[in-house]
Amino acid sequence: MSTTTIGVLALQGAFIEHEKSLQVCGAETRQIRLPEQLKGLDGLVIPGGESTTMGKLLMAYELLQPIKEMAKEGIPIFGTCAGMIMLAKEIVNSNQTSLSLMDIVVERNAFGRQVESFEADISVSEFGEEPYNAVFIRAPYIVSASPGVKIMASYDEKIILARQNNFLTAAFHPELTEDLRLHKYFLEMVTSYK
Amino acid sequence: MAEKGTWTVKKGLAEMLKGGVIMDVTTPEQAKIAEEAGACAVMALERVPADIRAAGGVARMADPTVIQRIMEVSTIPVMAKARIGHFVEAQVLESLGADYIDESEVLTPADEEYHIDKHQFKVPFVCGARNLGEALRRIGEGAAMIRTKGEPGTGNVVEAVRHMRKVMGEIRYVQNLPKEELMTAAKEMQAPYELLVKVAELGRLPVVNFAAGGIATPADAALMMQLGCDGIFVGSGIFKSKDPVSRAKAIVSATTHYNDSKILAEISRELGEAMPGVEIQNIAPEQRMQDRGW
């Protein structure tokens, strides 16, 4: 069986942590800073970081269109925190650059500033009984989602984990904890696409 | 139950800033320019280090109005500086809702023996360091992020390079020590033993480590990244230059594409004059900010 290669957008943010988690799950990873590095990927992760910074650099280095084309082909994409903002079609009170791929409305820093950042146990239906420790850092959440979007977890009645076709998104940071269930779930999406 | 202000959450915000540039700003207008250029955070100040140096006298925490006005216009994290040991300034900054506190040698120290007990706060702290021992003492006190000090407000990268090489060199040294030698190394470096053991295991600092103090050009930023830091602080380097907008954008690009000399050449073109630089030996020893901190 051929190896799975996952690109991790490395413009800014916690990309190394995602690479480590994916590698522990058996995938190969590649840092993505320029369009030519996207060739031959089986999946793409958009990490946490500052979404405005990522948006500017996506535009400046012409990554926006090639990633949208990958998405159209059905290649799985996983966005966490800032990555959720990059995937959303609508961002509350903002016209910043995004990939506009998921039918969700997202609010930035929706839980508040850093002093409000928190960790909490959440339950994810796909993962059964065992709670998932989620780390929220100046996190966004999904204000509303179209019927085609599958809501996988909520916290305090706010949507924080969702999937729409080949797109998976979390408001929190699976790359900052040892629990690999979300990375494994994403890699299963990649395997069934392949 | 939600738990706020945990170590994971404090350290986590710094993880999200990695590969980015944190810019000093003194007005809401500058904060907008920084965010527009792609800064991953701003440091809200009353004066940039070059002006603090020029003004002399006692430098203190900024007026809360300055910080709040910058917070109002920014969607990226806003940091602010407290004097070394001045835990009440830190309490004030926390209550304002600053996202990170820099316990900074750029301001005049309020305590010449002790730093702030940073574990007592929900807001995370970043502190300066010139070597591994100093970095680990600050982490021991609760700093969730480190920056090497350099010499602020000089536009001269030489001290930033010295401090980054020192920290990285000492990490490599510690990594190669047999376990029985670590206690003596901790004693010699004046570093907490448990943290030194952790460094030996990880081969890096247990928290994010940025470079600061004298970075003025895209090439300076890329140099620091290639030396092994996680991201860049630019103080006076942007708004003391001729063309802050172009320079800010170029330094952001250089921090992402630090290993790509073709891109570095492209973005270094036509940026106008950099900030005026200062030779370190022309600074009187008592004016050197890097020696503040214990």
Side-chain angles (χ1 to χ4, degrees):
Chain A
M1 213 186 100
S2 65
T3 52
T4 298
T5 307
I6 307 295
V8 181
L9 197 65
L11 297 170
Q12 191 270 321
F15 50 87
I16 292 167
E17 286 64 29
H18 269 295
E19 286 191 272
K20 282 184 188 153
S21 298
L22 291 163
Q23 286 161 6
V24 175
C25 297
E28 288 192 2
T29 61
R30 187 193 300 161
Q31 296 183 3
I32 308 296
R33 294 182 176 82
L34 294 170
E36 56 266 30
Q37 295 161 342
L38 292 167
K39 282 199 191 92
L41 291 182
D42 301 307
L44 179 69
V45 170
I46 306 175
E50 277 308 316
S51 60
T52 42
T53 309
M54 283 185 210
K56 305 277 172 206
L57 290 164
L58 275 177
M59 286 287 277
Y61 293 91
E62 294 171 353
L63 281 154
L64 213 57
Q65 277 314 315
I67 293 177
K68 284 183 150 209
E69 276 155 35
M70 275 176 64
K72 216 180 277 174
E73 281 172 43
I75 296 175
I77 303 182
F78 181 19
T80 60
C81 194
M84 172 181 272
I85 296 157
M86 301 312 297
L87 287 174
K89 283 201 179 155
E90 196 181 326
I91 306 160
V92 176
N93 290 330
S94 169
N95 53 2
Q96 72 186 83
T97 309
S98 86
L99 292 160
S100 261
L101 294 171
M102 287 182 79
D103 293 307
I104 52 175
V105 180
V106 166
E107 185 169 342
R108 289 185 62 186
N109 306 332
F111 290 97
R113 305 193 72 92
Q114 174 62 14
V115 284
E116 304 297 327
S117 292
F118 64 100
E119 296 179 54
D121 282 344
I122 61 165
S123 66
V124 180
S125 50
E126 278 75 2
F127 298 162
E129 292 285 299
E130 202 190 325
Y132 185 99
N133 179 241
V135 179
F136 295 83
I137 296 172
R138 287 172 49 94
Y141 60 72
I142 299 174
V143 178
S144 65
S146 298
V149 178
K150 185 179 180 207
I151 294 160
M152 294 171 65
S154 296
Y155 177 79
D156 206 10
E157 295 174 11
K158 296 159 178 112
I159 306 166
I160 50 163
L161 181 64
R163 177 175 174 182
Q164 182 178 18
N165 306 320
N166 52 328
F167 310 123
L168 178 67
T169 191
F172 50 91
H173 294 283
E175 76 279 16
L176 293 185
T177 49
E178 306 281 308
D179 193 331
L180 294 170
R181 284 179 288 173
L182 258 182
H183 285 96
K184 285 182 181 153
Y185 179 88
F186 176 64
L187 288 172
E188 279 165 27
M189 285 169 62
V190 172
T191 310
S192 44
Y193 164 72
K194 282 171 87 178
Chain B
M1 262 302 286
E3 246 196 298
K4 293 177 188 175
T6 61
W7 180 246
T8 306
V9 160
K10 288 175 165 181
K11 185 172 166 261
L13 178 55
E15 304 282 356
M16 297 311 135
L17 301 175
K18 283 192 301 191
V21 183
I22 301 168
M23 302 183 191
D24 278 7
V25 298
T26 58
T27 63
E29 293 71 33
Q30 289 185 352
K32 289 308 273 182
I33 292 173
E35 182 165 336
E36 201 52 38
C40 67
V42 291
M43 177 76 69
L45 292 163
E46 234 165 67
R47 295 195 189 111
V48 296
D51 290 336
I52 290 175
R53 198 176 274 293
V58 174
R60 311 177 179 91
M61 174 187 82
D63 183 329
T65 313
V66 173
I67 297 164
Q68 252 166 344
R69 286 176 58 211
I70 289 168
M71 282 169 45
E72 278 160 20
V73 301
S74 303
T75 70
I76 56 179
V78 177
M79 300 183 166
K81 288 186 197 287
R83 282 180 267 178
I84 289 173
H86 206 315
F87 52 87
V88 174
E89 284 188 349
Q91 290 164 2
V92 170
L93 294 173
E94 182 176 56
S95 82
L96 288 174
D99 294 300
Y100 237 94
I101 296 177
D102 184 1
E103 187 185 17
S104 177
E105 68 281 3
V106 167
L107 305 182
T108 311
D111 191 321
E112 295 196 329
E113 273 179 279
Y114 306 109
H115 284 252
I116 297 169
D117 175 12
K118 295 166 273 286
H119 289 295
Q120 299 306 316
F121 290 78
K122 278 206 161 63
V123 61
F125 280 74
V126 55
C127 286
R130 288 166 302 174
N131 53 52
L132 186 56
E134 194 176 11
L136 296 182
R137 288 197 298 280
R138 297 295 85 81
I139 296 166
E141 294 158 356
M145 179 179 182
I146 291 295
R147 53 174 176 73
T148 44
K149 286 177 170 173
E151 187 58 37
T154 58
N156 187 342
V157 80
V158 67
E159 296 300 299
V161 168
R162 189 192 317 284
H163 299 157
M164 191 57 67
R165 281 205 183 274
K166 181 77 177 168
V167 169
M168 300 313 276
E170 287 179 331
I171 290 172
R172 288 189 290 270
Y173 165 73
V174 164
Q175 241 186 317
N176 288 310
L177 288 182
K179 194 125 201 253
E180 68 273 17
E181 295 185 13
L182 286 173
M183 183 59 84
T184 299
K187 184 184 79 177
E188 282 164 3
M189 291 180 177
Q190 302 181 8
Y193 173 72
E194 279 71 23
L195 288 173
L196 197 75
V197 171
K198 186 107 194 169
V199 168
E201 278 167 20
L202 296 173
R204 57 159 294 139
L205 286 182
V207 301
V208 167
N209 180 27
F210 271 45
I215 294 154
T217 69
D220 286 351
L223 172 67
M224 299 313 299
M225 291 296 287
Q226 287 196 28
L227 285 174
C229 70
D230 296 315
I232 304 290
F233 277 92
V234 189
S236 319
I238 289 170
F239 291 100
K240 284 281 154 189
S241 74
K242 277 275 148 55
D243 181 357
V245 175
S246 309
R247 187 162 296 267
K249 274 190 195 159
I251 293 178
V252 168
S253 278
T255 304
T256 294
H257 298 285
Y258 65 93
N259 259 331
D260 191 325
S261 52
K262 270 195 188 135
I263 291 183
L264 292 173
E266 203 48 51
I267 59 181
S268 298
R269 281 175 210 279
E270 290 163 21
L271 294 177
E273 234 171 283
M275 71 177 282
V278 181
E279 282 273 13
I280 305 298
Q281 56 265 42
N282 295 341
I283 302 172
E286 66 275 13
Q287 304 290 330
R288 279 170 33 139
M289 292 172 173
Q290 60 176 276
D291 299 330
R292 299 163 167 177
W294 354 106

